[in-house]
Amino acid sequence: MTDHQALRRRQDLPWARGRGFAWLAPLLLLAGITAVDLNTTERFRIISWIVLVPGIAAALCGVWATAAFSVLCLLDYVAADSVWPQEYQAGLSDFVLVALAGVLAVLACTVRLNGERRILRMRDIAETTRRTVLRPLPQGWAGLDHAAVYLAADTEARVGGDFYDIQPGPHGTRVLVGDVQGKGLGAVETAAALLGTFREAGYHEPDLATVADRLETRMLRHRGHTVALGRDDGDRFATALLLGFLPGRPEVVELVNFGHEPPLAVGPAGVRALPPGDGLPLGMGELSERTGPPPTRMIPLAPEETLLITTDGVTEARNGAGEFYDLTAEVRRAATTDPTDPAHLVAQVRDGVLRHSRGHLSDDTTIFAVRRTPSPH
C-alpha cells in the first residue's frame, strides 16, 4: 500500500465501495452557487462566491481533485458571468479572485496532505513502540487464556508506563503486570527495560524469587543510567505483580507483589481479593528493612478461577461527583453472566471505567485477566 492509499484509508471521510465521495461537497456547493446566481435578479449576483469551492476541496480532497475544482470554478465563472448583459457582469477583478483562490487552495491542500503523512508516520512509530513494549500475545499462550486492554490517559498516545507480558519457560509460565510511576518517554523506557529483563529471567531462572530480584536490580541499574545521562528521573519506581503458574500444580499460583493492588480471583463461587502484598515497589527495595525481594506467596487458585489485575487507572477513575470507581462491584456484576472468561471480564471493566469517568481518564489504565486454559474434560 502506498502512502497516498494509506492516507486515504485513514482519513475520517465517508466511503462507499472503497471509493471516497468527499468530492460531492464542493461539487454541490459549486452547483448551488451557480444555480442561485442564474435564477436571481441582477441585484443578487453571487457567482464570485465560488471562491469557497476550492477551499472546501482543499480540506476534503487530494491535490489533483483540488486543482480540478479550481479549473472548473474558473470555467464556471466565465460561463455564468457571460450569461448576463455587460452592465451586470462581475468582471475581471472577480475572475482574478477566483483564480487566486484556486492557486492558494492547491497549495493549502499540499501542505495539509504533507502534514497528515507526517502524522501517519508518527503513528506508525508509536504503534511499533507499543508492539515492542506490549507485544501481541497469542491466544492460549503457554497454557493460559488471557485478555488485556490498555487505555491511555492521553488520547493521542499509544503507549505509556503500564506493562504486561506472559513468558513461558522450562520452570513454568510467568506473568508480569506493572505500572511505572510518571508519564512520557521515560516511563516507556523503564517499562521496556523491565520487560526485557522479565522475558529473559522468567525463562531461565528456576525460582520466582530470583526473577523478582533480577527485576529489582534492573530497575536500579536503569535508574542509575538515566541519572548518569543527566535526567531527573532518578527516583522513578514501578509497582508490579509477578505470577508463576507451576507445571503440574493447577491448584496454586505463585505471587510476588511489588506494592501493587492485589488481583481479584473471579470464579463460579464468587469474587475474592487475594492477600495484599507487603513488598515495596521496584526501585525502592533499599528502603525495606528486609533484604532481598518481597516474599513469594503460594496462593490457592481453583482451576476455574480467573485472576483480574488492574493498574491504578481503574481504581482511581472518578465520576463527576468525585466518587471512585467500584471495581469489585463491577466484577461481581460481570461474574453473574460469565464469571471466568477473561475477555468478558476485561470488556466489562473497560466499559465500566469509561462509563464511570465519562471517558476522562486521569491515568493510563491497564486491565489484564488470565486463567489456566480449561481442560477439555
Side-chain angles (χ1 to χ4, degrees):
M1 181 184 300
T2 65
D3 288 345
H4 181 66
Q5 290 172 327
L7 181 61
R8 290 185 61 189
R9 286 182 180 273
R10 300 194 193 190
Q11 283 178 325
D12 295 328
L13 300 174
W15 297 90
R17 297 181 181 178
R19 300 190 64 178
F21 53 92
W23 49 269
L24 271 178
L27 183 62
L28 291 175
L29 179 62
L30 176 62
I33 292 174
T34 304
V36 171
D37 186 81
L38 293 176
N39 289 279
T40 54
T41 66
E42 67 277 0
R43 296 182 180 180
F44 192 72
R45 294 297 316 280
I46 63 168
I47 190 60
S48 59
W49 289 15
I50 62 174
V51 295
L52 300 174
V53 173
I56 299 297
L60 298 177
C61 304
V63 174
W64 288 108
T66 303
F69 273 109
S70 300
V71 174
L72 184 61
C73 285
L74 284 174
L75 297 177
D76 184 79
Y77 175 84
V78 172
D81 202 37
S82 300
V83 171
W84 294 90
Q86 180 68 33
E87 61 270 23
Y88 301 125
Q89 291 181 2
L92 180 63
S93 59
D94 283 359
F95 176 85
V96 174
L97 178 64
V98 173
L100 182 60
V103 173
L104 293 178
V106 172
L107 293 177
C109 183
T110 302
V111 172
R112 175 182 67 85
L113 291 178
N114 288 337
E116 291 182 357
R117 290 189 183 96
R118 284 194 297 271
I119 292 175
L120 289 179
R121 284 194 290 268
M122 292 173 63
R123 287 183 178 179
D124 289 340
I125 293 172
E127 180 66 17
T128 301
T129 303
R130 186 192 69 82
R131 292 175 65 87
T132 301
V133 177
L134 303 178
R135 63 177 179 176
L137 298 173
Q139 287 300 318
W141 181 238
L144 299 179
D145 284 346
H146 59 85
V149 166
Y150 171 77
L151 302 173
D154 182 358
T155 56
E156 296 299 322
R158 291 292 188 273
V159 65
D162 290 3
F163 58 92
Y164 57 84
D165 201 6
I166 298 175
Q167 180 58 57
H171 310 291
T173 301
R174 276 71 185 264
V175 176
L176 180 66
V177 181
D179 179 8
V180 176
Q181 171 264 337
K183 301 181 183 296
L185 290 178
V188 177
E189 290 175 356
T190 303
L194 291 173
L195 285 172
T197 296
F198 166 73
R199 289 162 186 167
E200 290 302 311
Y203 179 87
H204 291 287
E205 299 296 344
D207 298 322
L208 196 67
T210 306
V211 180
D213 191 52
R214 292 274 299 274
L215 288 171
E216 174 69 20
T217 302
R218 184 68 180 98
M219 185 70 189
L220 295 176
R221 289 175 54 206
H222 176 75
R223 205 164 61 184
H225 177 259
T226 58
V227 170
L229 291 175
R231 287 158 44 177
D232 57 356
D233 53 356
D235 57 350
R236 193 182 296 276
F237 60 87
T239 64
L241 279 173
L242 179 61
L243 305 175
F245 291 86
L246 299 172
R249 300 194 63 185
E251 75 283 358
V252 296
V253 62
E254 292 182 297
L255 187 148
V256 180
N257 192 329
F258 292 97
H260 201 83
E261 287 285 333
L264 297 177
V266 186
V271 180
R272 62 186 177 95
L274 299 191
D278 54 359
L280 293 175
L282 290 165
M284 301 179 67
E286 57 191 13
L287 301 179
S288 175
E289 297 179 357
R290 180 184 60 248
T291 59
T296 301
R297 298 176 180 269
M298 300 293 291
I299 306 296
L301 187 69
E304 65 272 15
E305 283 188 308
T306 297
L307 291 178
L308 178 68
I309 306 168
T310 63
T311 57
D312 55 10
V314 172
T315 55
E316 294 180 2
R318 301 188 186 215
N319 59 13
E323 299 170 336
F324 288 106
Y325 174 70
D326 192 343
L327 174 63
T328 303
E330 185 73 42
V331 173
R332 285 199 175 103
R333 283 194 293 269
T336 59
T337 55
D338 193 349
T340 61
D341 180 50
H344 176 76
L345 281 176
V346 167
Q348 285 288 107
V349 175
R350 175 202 62 201
D351 295 344
V353 169
L354 293 176
R355 183 171 56 250
H356 182 80
S357 64
R358 296 184 178 181
H360 301 293
L361 300 175
S362 60
D363 196 3
D364 294 340
T365 299
T366 293
I367 308 163
F368 185 87
V370 63
R371 68 174 178 182
R372 291 184 183 270
T373 301
S375 169
H377 302 293

